[in-house]
Amino acid sequence: MKLPFASQQNNLSSPEVKHQIISGGVGGGGTGRYEPKSVLDICRSLPGKTSEFDSGDHNSIVLSSSEDPLRLDNYEHGIVNQFEEWDSLMKELGLNDDSAKSAYLPELPDLPPIQSEVTAPTMSLFLNPDFENPNTNTNPNSLDFTNQYNIDNRTGFDFVDDIIRIAECFETQSLHLAQVILARLNQRLPSPNGKPLQRAAFYFKEAIQSLISGSTRLTQSSSSSEIVQTIKAYKTFITVSPIPMFSSFTANQAILEAVDGAMIIHVIDFDIGIGGHWASFMKEISEKSESRKVNSPAFRITAVVPEEYETESRLIRDNLRQFARDLKLRFDIDFISVRTFESLSFKSIKFMDGEKTAVLLTPTIFQRIGTGFINDLRRLSPQVVVHVDGEGLTGDGTSSFRQSVIEGLELYSTILESLEAANVGIGVGAGDWLRKIEICVLLPKIIAAMGAAGRHVTPWREAFGRAGLRPVGQSQFADFQAECLLRRLQVRGFHVAKQQGEMMLCWHDRPLVATSAWKC
């Protein structure tokens, strides 16, 4: 759906793991072949005893300068409360409260079976034990912006024209004129209030203004309190919207299918976020091993993260290690800086004999360093490359800055509209959680997208083709899972579609996130 701006063209020529973070982001048949189960079906008991996993020496670059690279034999030496600030953060998250051990991944009420012999998988990622479905919207608006704003002329959308003019000024380096328009727009959009398009416009205005002024106030490293707020916002996001959970379980399912039977699983994650999406994966491989009465495979993660991600890296490491300990799962994690990876590519990552490797990609890494490193995947020969596109749907890597802004406004106003649909029935305080999701989860994505907008890079599909990657379809069971997800959250207007080998989550006629799997 196109944005209603007056002029398309203008003459002016981006517990325990613990309750707060982890609780709160397959089909085909053949006799003798294990059929992977839902990554969301995690209601069975914990696995039994496993053998020790010796991860060997680590030469990877770890962002935290305060401790040695990770080794599994360091588990018993204490992994939290090493710094005063860190202790405060852990307390605020409730991560050092032994009473939080009641449940990692609390469950939703059971879904009535779709067929008499089949019941929907349990989905409990990040959800609170007392969760009640807040999504009671039965009559969502369409994406007709004119009807949405109840106006018959274009004057109500002048702020969209102003955003586009500012983008054009940025492209032509007419920065003085851009500042003049921004000054006017700051008076019209002083805060993120109003309808979804108005709020999206405010966030894009802030991101573009930061680019023009060279300010770092929107991109500087997060404080401990800001990280806490981000975790809480993400927990809320995954509770009320299917978008983050769809991204998580479709990626996990593709990896599970590709590495089934491995004794060492190694995932290279280029967008680990707060790490919560690995909780169900770890639980699933542990429970699979228990059902087969074999030792759990060793699980390794190499996360490629920004240089300013040191605090988040410690939090992710501590919680995932604790979660693995409680599962009796052999686990290791390394963090590699984006700058190091950009310089050395996959040579910066340690590999082990006999492991099965999966690579998880999102547009975030392409925004930072382009797609050139994809050529190296041929030498790596991973079992699967999973691409989760939740931001790159706004362009193919060749769009101008102006066009990227237009497409971004369309995408994020649609996301905000879908969140408003989830808002119905929540009652008092709904605006607070909605604002936290926007500020802590969506605004950083907009800032990153605007920072990379206008940069001409090889589109990721073209880069995959040059590297010899070919798409592989996802299983019918993955389709079933997606339908179960939408049934559980019941925000009408969402549906699942497939196109060019991608499984897409759509809000009405607009794709919001797409997952695809590839092999060399």
Side-chain angles (χ1 to χ4, degrees):
M1 187 61 64
K2 298 300 180 183
L3 288 173
F5 53 86
S7 174
Q8 289 282 349
Q9 301 294 333
N10 194 292
N11 292 329
L12 294 172
S13 291
S14 129
E16 304 241 344
V17 156
K18 303 226 179 175
H19 191 60
Q20 287 286 345
I21 185 167
I22 294 299
S23 68
V26 199
T31 303
R33 179 179 180 274
Y34 174 76
E35 301 299 328
K37 299 176 182 178
S38 165
V39 299
L40 304 174
D41 184 15
I42 53 178
C43 58
R44 299 187 296 274
S45 60
L46 296 180
K49 182 178 178 181
T50 60
S51 61
E52 292 295 321
F53 169 51
D54 182 8
S55 63
D57 294 330
H58 285 247
N59 298 319
S60 303
I61 298 174
V62 181
L63 296 186
S64 174
S65 61
S66 58
E67 55 186 326
D68 293 332
L70 289 178
R71 294 180 56 89
L72 295 179
D73 55 6
N74 288 334
Y75 276 177
E76 303 303 327
H77 296 299
I79 57 176
V80 295
N81 301 329
Q82 299 174 24
F83 308 99
E84 182 176 353
E85 178 186 8
W86 190 236
D87 182 55
S88 175
L89 172 61
M90 300 296 278
K91 286 180 180 178
E92 186 165 357
L93 284 171
L95 301 187
N96 54 358
D97 182 2
D98 289 339
S99 66
K101 294 181 179 179
S102 56
Y104 297 99
L105 303 168
E107 300 177 3
L108 287 173
D110 290 335
L111 181 71
I114 294 177
Q115 300 177 358
S116 58
E117 71 277 11
V118 179
T119 58
T122 301
M123 291 189 294
S124 51
L125 277 178
F126 288 89
L127 301 182
N128 295 321
D130 57 351
F131 172 80
E132 294 182 4
N133 179 22
N135 305 310
T136 58
N137 185 21
T138 59
N139 187 26
N141 294 327
S142 70
L143 290 184
D144 185 336
F145 286 106
T146 302
N147 291 337
Q148 178 188 5
Y149 290 95
N150 195 28
I151 60 175
D152 297 323
N153 56 65
R154 299 293 185 184
T155 58
F157 296 102
D158 287 347
F159 59 85
V160 176
D161 279 329
D162 283 344
I163 294 271
I164 294 169
R165 291 190 184 100
I166 293 168
E168 292 167 343
C169 290
F170 185 79
E171 278 188 323
T172 60
Q173 292 298 296
S174 303
L175 301 185
H176 178 71
L177 180 56
Q179 294 284 12
V180 172
I181 301 174
L182 272 170
R184 180 178 66 188
L185 193 57
N186 282 332
Q187 294 180 346
R188 300 188 61 194
L189 293 174
S191 60
N193 294 321
K195 297 292 185 177
L197 181 56
Q198 290 171 281
R199 301 201 305 278
F202 172 85
Y203 297 128
F204 274 85
K205 177 207 71 173
E206 290 289 293
I208 297 172
Q209 183 167 280
S210 179
L211 284 176
I212 292 175
S213 66
S215 171
T216 61
R217 67 185 180 87
L218 297 180
T219 57
Q220 59 190 2
S221 299
S222 300
S223 66
S224 297
S225 61
E226 289 169 337
I227 294 172
V228 170
Q229 290 304 311
T230 297
I231 293 171
K232 292 178 179 178
Y234 193 83
K235 282 184 60 180
T236 306
F237 188 27
I238 207 168
T239 300
V240 301
S241 171
I243 295 173
M245 192 179 290
F246 179 90
S247 302
S248 175
F249 82 72
T250 51
N252 285 359
Q253 194 70 33
I255 295 173
L256 279 170
E257 294 175 9
V259 302
D260 184 41
M263 289 312 298
I264 306 176
I265 299 170
H266 183 193
V267 177
I268 304 171
D269 190 346
F270 284 87
D271 191 7
I272 196 168
I274 60 173
H277 54 286
W278 291 119
S280 66
F281 186 90
M282 295 165 72
K283 186 100 174 182
E284 184 71 14
I285 61 176
S286 176
E287 291 177 344
K288 262 202 249 180
S289 301
E290 182 186 23
S291 67
R292 294 173 172 177
K293 301 185 184 307
V294 297
N295 287 337
S296 298
F299 179 41
R300 302 179 57 223
I301 298 174
T302 299
V304 181
V305 297
E307 286 70 23
E308 65 273 14
Y309 220 62
E310 182 174 349
T311 302
E312 291 90 338
S313 297
R314 295 203 307 270
L315 179 62
I316 294 165
R317 176 175 59 245
D318 291 348
N319 281 278
L320 289 182
R321 288 174 68 182
Q322 181 63 53
F323 192 63
R325 289 181 66 189
D326 292 338
L327 289 174
K328 297 182 175 62
L329 180 69
R330 297 168 294 165
F331 174 73
D332 193 18
I333 184 168
D334 280 333
F335 293 91
I336 308 295
S337 72
V338 170
R339 185 177 302 166
T340 299
F341 181 83
E342 185 176 15
S343 174
L344 300 176
S345 188
F346 291 100
K347 293 179 181 178
S348 62
I349 297 174
K350 179 184 176 181
F351 297 94
M352 300 179 65
D353 292 338
E355 68 183 11
K356 288 189 176 182
T357 304
V359 178
L360 180 58
L361 296 166
T362 73
T364 301
I365 189 63
F366 304 146
Q367 291 169 354
R368 285 181 173 267
I369 65 174
T371 56
F373 70 93
I374 297 299
N375 290 325
D376 298 330
L377 284 173
R378 184 179 301 172
R379 293 191 295 272
L380 182 62
S381 296
Q383 270 61 45
V384 67
V385 176
V386 179
H387 183 258
V388 180
D389 190 348
E391 303 98 55
L393 295 168
T394 58
D396 61 0
T398 61
S399 299
S400 66
F401 187 85
R402 176 187 185 276
Q403 188 61 31
S404 295
V405 169
I406 294 172
E407 293 169 347
L409 280 170
E410 291 175 0
L411 174 63
Y412 281 95
S413 61
T414 304
I415 292 174
L416 295 183
E417 185 183 348
S418 73
L419 282 173
E420 282 203 344
N423 183 5
V424 175
I426 291 181
V428 178
D432 292 339
W433 68 254
L434 186 59
R435 181 67 55 83
K436 288 177 181 177
I437 291 173
E438 293 175 4
I439 295 294
C440 298
V441 179
L442 301 183
L443 179 56
K445 294 180 180 292
I446 293 173
I447 293 169
M450 289 298 93
R455 232 181 263 167
H456 292 278
V457 299
T458 303
W460 68 269
R461 280 187 175 275
E462 182 179 336
F464 278 26
R466 290 180 180 178
L469 294 173
R470 65 185 188 280
V472 292
Q474 299 196 43
S475 66
Q476 291 182 346
F477 202 88
D479 295 344
F480 172 69
Q481 287 180 304
E483 294 299 331
C484 290
L485 170 63
L486 299 189
R487 277 173 159 238
R488 282 186 172 273
L489 294 183
Q490 298 179 7
V491 183
R492 294 188 59 184
F494 282 106
H495 67 93
V496 177
K498 283 189 173 182
Q499 182 177 343
Q500 293 184 305
E502 292 182 308
M503 182 180 291
M504 301 184 298
L505 179 67
C506 304
W507 172 253
H508 295 285
D509 60 350
R510 181 62 159 93
L512 300 182
V513 60
T515 301
S516 56
W518 302 73
K519 288 186 178 180
C520 294

